[in-house]
Amino acid sequence: MTRREAIFPADRHALYEQHGYSAAIRSGDLLFVSGQVGSRSDGTPEPDFERQVGLAFENLKATLEAAGCTFEDLVDVTTFHTDPENQFETIMAAKQKIFSKAPYPNWTAVGVNWLAGFDFEIKVIARIPSMHDPR
């Protein structure tokens, strides 16, 4: 049976401790990453929306790196948005910087009315590369 292993970035933020969850769980060759938000190191939301989205992607990158992954290893992405219609342009600009060429990961965007003070959250599943995977 495959065991679960908790993964945390080197500079783990306060939200993991405050709310009692892991940044990610490795199970076999899959990495299940908890929703990453644009939090500052003390766990509070970044008030500027564009910067909040950027921080969410930075937090995601740090968690992926802690498991030996990159954005290229993403298989499935789910994002949560408090005001999708007005946030779409900002999110798409950030997305284009990270995922600039095919093949793109699966992506589902969900409009929500509450994200604990945040306005954007990104949750992913990645395949952890083996030492023999060509990049």
Side-chain angles (χ1 to χ4, degrees):
M1 181 172 204
T2 302
R3 295 182 45 111
R4 299 181 312 153
E5 177 189 351
I7 304 292
F8 290 97
D11 186 21
R12 61 196 267 180
H13 61 73
L15 289 175
Y16 302 129
E17 302 303 325
Q18 290 171 3
H19 300 287
Y21 67 100
S22 297
I25 295 289
R26 178 194 327 242
S27 181
D29 69 345
L30 294 176
L31 184 70
F32 299 87
V33 181
S34 294
Q36 299 294 301
V37 293
S39 62
R40 296 181 267 191
S41 60
D42 65 357
T44 60
E46 166 58 48
D48 176 76
F49 182 70
E50 185 174 356
R51 182 72 184 127
Q52 188 180 127
V53 171
L55 276 174
F57 276 103
E58 287 175 27
N59 289 335
L60 174 58
K61 181 180 179 184
T63 300
L64 291 170
E65 287 176 350
C69 296
T70 70
F71 288 122
E72 291 181 11
D73 298 308
L74 297 184
V75 176
D76 189 63
V77 176
T78 304
T79 53
F80 304 91
H81 316 263
T82 57
D83 187 5
E85 187 174 354
N86 292 311
Q87 297 166 341
F88 188 75
E89 188 175 316
T90 301
I91 293 164
M92 290 305 290
K95 178 183 179 277
Q96 182 60 29
K97 288 178 189 173
I98 305 287
F99 307 108
S100 59
K101 62 182 188 221
Y104 306 106
N106 294 341
W107 195 298
T108 302
V110 180
V112 298
N113 62 13
W114 186 78
L115 287 172
F118 295 90
D119 294 304
F120 175 80
E121 183 172 325
I122 182 167
K123 175 181 177 35
V124 304
I125 299 171
R127 189 177 139 302
I128 301 168
S130 74
M131 294 187 326
H132 306 292
D133 280 349
R135 287 248 176 205

